[in-house]
Amino acid sequence: MPIQLKEAPNSTKPLAGRDFLTLGDFTKEEIHYLLQLAEQLKAKRKNGEEEALLKGKTLGMIFEKASTRTRVSFEAGIYQLGGNGIFLSTKDLQIGRGESIADTAKVLSGYLDGIMIRTFSQEMVEQLAENASIPVINGLTDLYHPCQVLADLLTIKEQKGALKGINVTYIGDGNNMANSIMVGAGLMGINLTICTPNGYFPKEVEVENAKKLTASSGGSINFEQEPEMAVTDADIIYTDVWASMGQEEEQKKRIEAFHQHQVTPKLLSLAKPDASFMHCLPAHRGEEVAAEVIDGTQSIVFQQAENRLHAQKALMAAIMG
């Protein structure tokens, strides 16, 4: 049976035409709807069926940062939905020669049906959305990575059968991944523990904003400096690289700061027996995670990576349809 797009239950406003700059732009009910739609689209794909929900639609994909998963999953996803994706490097656009974000947004709005942007500055994404008359999707900034966490929520739901009450431990830098995981946990009722060395915690404003969401979801956000304590009772152990793009000059300093925060087989053994390991990739084996963990039987990193495709297809179908 063909998928019929509808509004999410208790949706505050129509999904079509909405921007996705952070997970907090959507309600818990809307996120649940996107996950259900992603599950349907994934099942259709596995059965050799495709849903042309975006036939004739075009997505512009602006890249200032290099990418594997973001580019391929969005480009394949829009194609599988019956639409077309256009790769736009900031080096090739006039934006790279000084054209304003506002002018770029208005011009692209006349050509496209949606924009996905992967860049450094969250402010740049917000300016683009403010001036565009079509949906804008944050493919990654230094502050947030909402598309990754949407796929992560889909993966956790598949693996554990639920989101509310699941114990997730994030070990690593208080970066864009930590910020977005906090929002996802706050929205969906997940019990999240963040474990980072001194000096690398997420900014207080991001913590407070995420904690406000837990009041209605029943989840929690806690902090722990000792990895062994942080993983106790964990259903999911999650990590990311210690030095993100743009932080390469800090690599040596960060290795020294984070060396006790590597996810090792011993650390994994302190979590629940059926705990799963997650990583947003790319991974540096021997740094933030031991090869035996990421390549082991408890690792679900490639299921997680594939789900970028299905989660983003649901997102594009909902806001561009």
Side-chain angles (χ1 to χ4, degrees):
M1 179 181 294
I3 293 173
Q4 298 295 321
L5 287 180
K6 56 183 183 297
E7 298 302 334
N10 304 317
S11 183
T12 55
K13 52 186 175 180
L15 294 175
R18 298 265 293 276
D19 297 320
F20 187 68
L21 310 187
T22 167
L23 280 170
D25 291 338
F26 284 63
T27 66
K28 174 178 68 176
E29 291 79 15
E30 290 166 345
I31 296 296
H32 272 303
Y33 167 75
L34 291 177
L35 297 179
Q36 290 169 359
L37 179 56
E39 289 170 338
Q40 290 178 293
L41 290 168
K42 184 173 182 177
K44 290 275 188 180
R45 176 84 178 150
K46 298 297 183 185
N47 290 332
E49 306 172 37
E50 297 291 355
E51 289 283 346
L53 299 174
L54 295 181
K55 185 177 181 180
K57 302 274 186 174
T58 303
L59 175 73
M61 304 180 298
I62 300 175
F63 285 88
E64 189 174 20
K65 283 190 174 186
S67 170
T68 297
R69 280 150 293 278
T70 298
R71 177 175 179 178
V72 178
S73 58
F74 268 108
E75 195 161 346
I78 188 70
Y79 175 79
Q80 291 169 17
L81 290 169
N84 183 49
I86 302 176
F87 174 80
L88 303 167
S89 168
T90 54
K91 296 178 181 178
D92 299 326
L93 294 172
Q94 294 294 345
I95 198 172
R97 297 178 60 244
E99 185 168 27
S100 72
I101 302 297
D103 286 357
T104 301
K106 291 168 185 175
V107 169
L108 293 181
S109 294
Y111 303 146
L112 305 169
D113 301 287
I115 300 169
M116 187 285 299
I117 179 169
R118 179 180 170 94
T119 187
F120 293 90
S121 167
Q122 182 73 17
E123 182 181 1
M124 179 179 179
V125 177
E126 291 171 357
Q127 288 181 7
L128 189 69
E130 182 179 348
N131 289 279
S133 58
I134 55 177
V136 172
I137 298 170
N138 178 1
L140 174 141
T141 66
D142 287 346
L143 190 60
Y144 296 117
H145 198 355
C147 290
Q148 177 64 58
V149 175
L150 187 63
D152 295 341
L153 294 173
L154 176 60
T155 307
I156 295 169
K157 187 180 178 186
E158 288 177 338
Q159 196 71 17
K160 302 301 177 182
L163 291 173
K164 185 176 176 62
I166 296 298
N167 300 326
V168 175
T169 297
Y170 173 87
I171 301 176
D173 190 20
N175 58 11
N176 53 3
M177 280 307 311
N179 291 340
S180 292
I181 289 172
M182 286 194 299
V183 176
L187 277 171
M188 311 311 290
I190 290 170
N191 299 317
L192 176 67
T193 298
I194 300 280
C195 181
T196 72
N198 271 331
Y200 293 92
F201 276 69
K203 291 182 179 178
E204 188 62 29
V205 64
E206 300 301 328
V207 175
E208 291 305 313
N209 288 340
K211 282 188 172 182
K212 289 176 185 176
L213 298 171
T214 65
S216 59
S217 73
S220 63
I221 299 173
N222 302 293
F223 292 87
E224 175 61 59
Q225 284 187 272
E226 299 298 328
E228 292 79 10
M229 295 294 294
V231 301
T232 302
D233 293 327
D235 297 295
I236 301 287
I237 296 178
Y238 197 124
T239 193
D240 188 12
V241 294
W242 293 339
S244 299
M245 278 183 284
Q247 298 174 332
E248 289 81 5
E249 72 282 356
E250 300 177 27
Q251 183 76 17
K252 184 177 179 181
K253 176 185 174 183
R254 284 173 170 267
I255 287 175
E256 292 174 357
F258 283 90
H259 74 277
Q260 292 184 331
H261 288 67
Q262 183 186 92
V263 181
T264 62
K266 181 180 179 181
L267 190 65
L268 184 60
S269 73
L270 299 177
K272 289 183 178 179
D274 63 345
S276 300
F277 173 75
M278 298 177 70
H279 192 306
C280 55
L281 303 181
H284 295 164
R285 289 166 174 79
E287 289 187 14
E288 73 274 5
V289 60
E292 300 95 319
V293 172
I294 193 170
D295 298 322
T297 58
Q298 290 173 266
S299 174
I300 54 173
V301 300
F302 296 111
Q303 175 185 349
Q304 182 185 359
E306 181 190 328
N307 279 339
R308 289 288 303 276
L309 171 70
H310 310 298
Q312 290 161 189
K313 284 171 68 175
L315 175 65
M316 288 188 288
I319 68 175
M320 290 174 60

